[in-house]
Amino acid sequence: MTVNWSWERAADCLPVLLEGFRITLLATVLGFLIAAALGLAIAVVRRTAPAFVTVPLRMVTEFVRLTPLVVQLLFAYYLLPQFSALQIGVAVLGVHYATYMAEVYRAGIDAVPRGQWEAAHALSLPTRRTWRAVVLPQAIRSTTPALGNYAISMFKDTPFLFAITVVEMVTAAQQYGAKTFQYLEPITIAGVIFLLASYPTSILIRRLEKRLAY
């Protein structure tokens, strides 16, 4: 069986793929914002809250980290039918990656020199101000490259949203192929778009890592 590339088919499927890319990008951006904020909250709570809060929280985060993303998507999709598939996908992506980002934040917080904490205490800074003005700026600075890598990983994991009927870019490519019986062009172009979006971002993250190194 001979498979021939057709630029005409490539041009025909491109608008469909770009619409799927819009969904992919939307899910990634919103999911990352949720993950970054929730992950930071989890890290701070686990560092400051009493054991009766941190122990159950640690168990929940471990459960989320150790179960497949697809299972979590399907569970939430059938449990929460009142929400759209995209809303559920964004939320699950955010919660799933928040458990990983929480560990990154925790490492960043632990990396803040003890002298910084002692200096804030010596100046009688309130606990909230110590976190806001002293600890978190340093922790977030050191963890920014790692968070960027998780953003790329989330972007590449968006095809899993097909499990809950979200038509992101890969699903759009598959649907086009099923309709025309031509998969080469849509799947190839989808892969190229992923590469064109991910590679410059990875270069930017590496440069940012070098600039933030101290």
Side-chain angles (χ1 to χ4, degrees), residues 5-193:
W5 176 272
S6 169
W7 288 107
E8 183 178 352
R9 282 196 299 267
D12 183 54
C13 71
L14 186 58
V16 176
L17 297 183
L18 290 178
E19 175 59 24
F21 177 71
R22 184 183 69 84
I23 300 298
T24 294
L25 192 60
L26 178 64
T28 302
V29 171
L30 295 180
F32 178 78
L33 292 176
I34 293 173
L38 182 60
L40 180 59
I42 292 172
V44 173
V45 169
R46 288 187 59 179
R47 182 64 184 262
T48 59
F52 72 87
V53 175
T54 59
V55 171
L57 182 60
R58 184 171 64 251
M59 294 174 62
V60 171
T61 55
E62 287 298 316
F63 175 80
V64 173
R65 290 177 62 191
L66 296 176
T67 53
L69 176 59
V70 172
V71 173
Q72 296 169 15
L73 287 166
L74 290 171
F75 179 79
Y77 181 67
Y78 291 117
L79 182 67
L80 303 169
Q82 65 271 32
F83 295 99
S84 71
L86 182 58
Q87 290 173 331
I88 291 173
V90 167
V92 172
L93 280 173
V95 172
H96 183 82
Y97 273 90
T99 60
Y100 291 94
M101 291 186 185
E103 292 301 308
V104 174
Y105 284 125
R106 182 189 61 79
I109 292 170
D110 290 343
V112 175
R114 184 174 179 82
Q116 299 286 325
W117 296 85
E118 294 173 348
H121 181 71
L123 293 172
S124 300
L125 292 180
T127 302
R128 181 175 298 180
R129 181 166 176 76
T130 298
W131 278 96
R132 187 177 66 250
V134 179
V135 177
L136 291 183
Q138 297 182 66
I140 293 175
R141 175 187 174 91
S142 63
T143 58
T144 296
L147 297 179
N149 288 326
Y150 276 123
I152 295 175
S153 296
M154 184 184 295
F155 177 63
K156 293 188 295 183
D157 277 349
T158 53
F160 286 122
L161 298 181
F162 84 95
I164 57 172
T165 73
V166 175
V167 184
E168 37 64 53
M169 184 165 57
V170 174
T171 302
Q174 291 177 325
Q175 290 181 351
Y176 179 89
K179 182 168 39 176
T180 62
F181 301 101
Q182 300 293 337
Y183 289 90
L184 176 62
E185 292 83 6
I187 295 298
T188 301
I189 293 174
V192 170
I193 292 175

